[in-house]
Amino acid sequence: MNIYSASLPIEETSIFDLSQIYGRQMLFIFLTIPLILIVLSMDAKIFEKYSTVFYILGIFSLLGLFAFGKTIKGQTNWYQFGGFGFQPSEFVKTATALVLAKLVSDTQINLKIFKHQVFALAVFGFPVFLILLQPDAGSAMIFLSLVFVLYREGLPSWYLWTGFIGIALFILALVIKPVILIGFVFVVMIIHFVLNARITRNPIVYALLFVVITATVLSVDYVYETVLEPHQKDRINVLIGEDVNMQKEGYNLNQSMIAIGSGSWFGKGYLEGTQTKGGFVPEQHTDYIFTTVGEEWGFVGAAVVIFLFVCLFLRIIYLAERQKTKFSRIYGYCVATYLFTHFFVNISMLIKLFPTIGVPLPFFSYGGSSLWAFTIMLYIFIKMDANKVNEW
């Protein structure tokens, strides 16, 4: 319904018109029915038994993009078949989740051991590397979110803290002078050392940590100016409030916030959104579909959508904890993590809480690849849950 509103031509046509975006999406929705039936008819053990095969096929599909892929807006992440496109990274997410669950569920794997940590991280690190070469930072970030699943299964917490602190330092170094930031870090570390004097603390560890943090802060400017692409720098500038041209690099976010804010409490009404009907929000049927929800259905409608997503996440986690096999539990957490990351990043970037990244909203954004991939991913877990009565 929202894709129909976001892509409605001047002359209204049937929602089944295949020449229009909403008509093709309706076709994609109908085709999920046989996909669901196929997944539910399969033996649940197949997904664990052939997880490595699925993963290898997925890796080859990513490698094939460099020879046969179509480049769209600077990214080579699609295969083109006539008027339809196929994005393999969406399906590789499921294959990666399956093989990660297979690896970590092995009784010989202990995520407290460094060698085993490397094996687990490499499972999704390799597809991340291939996806970054496309380049598609959004999809790569979704794969990296699997570190939360590993944390649930015993990965040391310092991995998460290192990531969070690194991101925080990068952002702070862009808005605060490096000397001031380094001085603040030094004071905090001194206070922490003094307050924990009764506990055996090695000053050498503090010194080495301070050196690493200092080097990180001082390298931010080089990374920002040399490594990042111009469009990536623009998106960060918009997020941190730098002086940007709201008619150019800041246009998408500006129009997105105007559309969502104009919906007020109850929205302007279905098919009545002025920003939506005027086509002011670019790519509104894909990454920016939630702006249609906000404008036409208002705060209440947007809150209902968010509530339904949260219910879905909590339900998947609840079912994952009820699984009788470690493989099924880990896969369930992978599904919840993928869906939540897509949801969180997509909505956050529309209200200036996260840099603009091309990440679709699950089951909402236009696209057959993402819809089918999410459907297959979710129903594999539903099949596993249905089969738990047969597990011992």
Side-chain angles (χ1 to χ4, degrees):
M1 289 173 62
N2 286 283
I3 291 172
Y4 178 76
S5 178
S7 56
L8 192 63
I10 297 177
E11 295 183 2
E12 295 187 15
T13 60
S14 168
I15 198 170
F16 300 100
D17 185 356
L18 295 181
S19 66
Q20 301 294 333
I21 290 174
Y22 46 81
R24 292 195 291 272
Q25 186 70 10
M26 184 62 71
L27 176 63
F28 297 150
I29 291 173
F30 280 129
L31 290 178
T32 60
I33 297 175
L35 279 177
I36 291 171
L37 295 177
I38 291 172
V39 171
L40 295 181
S41 66
M42 297 173 68
D43 186 345
K45 292 296 183 182
I46 288 178
F47 305 114
E48 180 177 5
K49 183 177 181 180
Y50 295 102
S51 58
T52 305
V53 176
F54 297 145
Y55 181 75
I56 293 174
L57 290 175
I59 294 299
F60 276 111
S61 71
L62 293 177
L63 290 171
L65 288 170
F66 300 106
F68 308 106
K70 182 177 180 179
T71 301
I72 301 175
K73 297 182 179 180
Q75 294 181 332
T76 309
N77 52 5
W78 290 85
Y79 290 108
Q80 195 69 31
F81 302 100
F84 294 92
F86 170 74
Q87 188 174 5
S89 62
E90 295 292 341
F91 297 90
V92 176
K93 293 172 187 173
T94 301
T96 303
L98 288 171
V99 81
L100 183 67
K102 173 70 172 178
L103 173 67
V104 179
S105 62
D106 191 321
T107 54
Q108 297 181 354
I109 293 294
N110 182 358
L111 291 179
K112 300 296 183 182
I113 301 175
F114 180 73
K115 180 174 69 174
H116 295 172
Q117 296 170 11
V118 173
F119 290 156
L121 294 171
V123 167
F124 57 86
F126 188 47
V128 165
F129 172 73
L130 295 178
I131 291 171
L132 286 175
L133 293 177
Q134 296 177 0
D136 185 358
S139 295
M141 183 186 61
I142 301 300
F143 279 86
L144 289 175
S145 68
L146 291 177
V147 71
F148 293 107
V149 179
L150 296 182
Y151 174 70
R152 162 65 180 81
E153 298 301 322
L155 187 73
S157 60
W158 70 264
Y159 280 94
L160 292 182
W161 284 113
T162 301
F164 289 141
I165 293 173
I167 294 172
L169 288 174
F170 183 87
I171 296 175
L172 290 173
L174 294 175
V175 297
I176 302 175
K177 290 183 178 180
V179 175
I180 297 176
L181 182 58
I182 292 173
F184 175 76
V185 171
F186 179 77
V187 171
V188 170
M189 293 184 69
I190 291 295
I191 294 174
H192 186 274
F193 182 81
V194 172
L195 292 179
N196 292 275
R198 295 182 179 181
I199 305 175
T200 303
R201 295 291 185 183
N202 190 340
I204 297 178
V205 174
Y206 277 79
L208 290 175
L209 183 59
F210 179 71
V211 170
V212 171
I213 291 176
T214 301
T216 301
V217 172
L218 295 177
S219 66
V220 167
D221 187 62
Y222 174 81
V223 172
Y224 182 76
E225 296 295 340
T226 308
V227 178
L228 296 183
E229 297 291 335
H231 70 277
Q232 294 172 328
K233 291 191 287 186
D234 289 340
R235 292 170 179 177
I236 293 176
N237 287 336
V238 171
L239 179 67
I240 62 178
E242 290 291 325
D243 185 20
V244 296
N245 189 336
M246 300 309 291
Q247 296 302 317
K248 291 184 179 180
E249 56 266 26
Y251 179 80
N252 289 15
L253 178 61
N254 186 44
Q255 293 300 324
S256 167
M257 296 183 70
I258 290 174
I260 294 176
S262 66
S264 191
W265 284 100
F266 301 102
K268 297 176 179 177
Y270 184 56
L271 302 180
E272 298 299 326
T274 54
Q275 293 292 114
T276 297
K277 296 186 75 171
F280 291 102
V281 183
E283 307 296 334
Q284 193 168 13
H285 59 288
T286 54
D287 299 340
Y288 288 81
I289 189 64
F290 194 74
T291 60
T292 304
V293 179
E295 183 180 26
E296 298 189 344
W297 303 93
F299 175 83
V300 173
V304 169
V305 171
I306 292 174
F307 174 76
L308 291 174
F309 268 111
V310 171
C311 288
L312 174 62
F313 306 144
L314 294 177
R315 180 64 178 171
I316 295 173
I317 292 173
Y318 171 73
L319 293 178
E321 287 294 341
R322 291 180 56 195
Q323 299 305 302
K324 295 183 178 179
T325 67
K326 192 174 179 180
F327 173 81
S328 298
R329 184 186 72 220
I330 296 171
Y331 178 77
Y333 268 93
C334 288
V335 174
T337 300
Y338 278 144
L339 292 175
F340 173 78
T341 307
H342 269 274
F343 159 82
F344 176 79
V345 172
N346 180 276
I347 294 181
S348 296
M349 74 178 186
L350 302 183
I351 53 178
K352 205 178 178 180
L353 293 179
F354 202 88
T356 302
I357 297 177
V359 172
L361 185 61
F363 305 110
F364 262 75
S365 295
Y366 170 79
S369 293
S370 61
L371 176 63
W372 294 345
F374 285 131
T375 300
I376 292 172
M377 179 193 302
L378 183 60
Y379 275 86
I380 286 176
F381 179 62
I382 290 175
K383 177 63 179 180
M384 291 179 182
D385 181 65
N387 189 64
K388 69 177 182 292
V389 296
N390 300 319
E391 301 289 353
W392 293 90

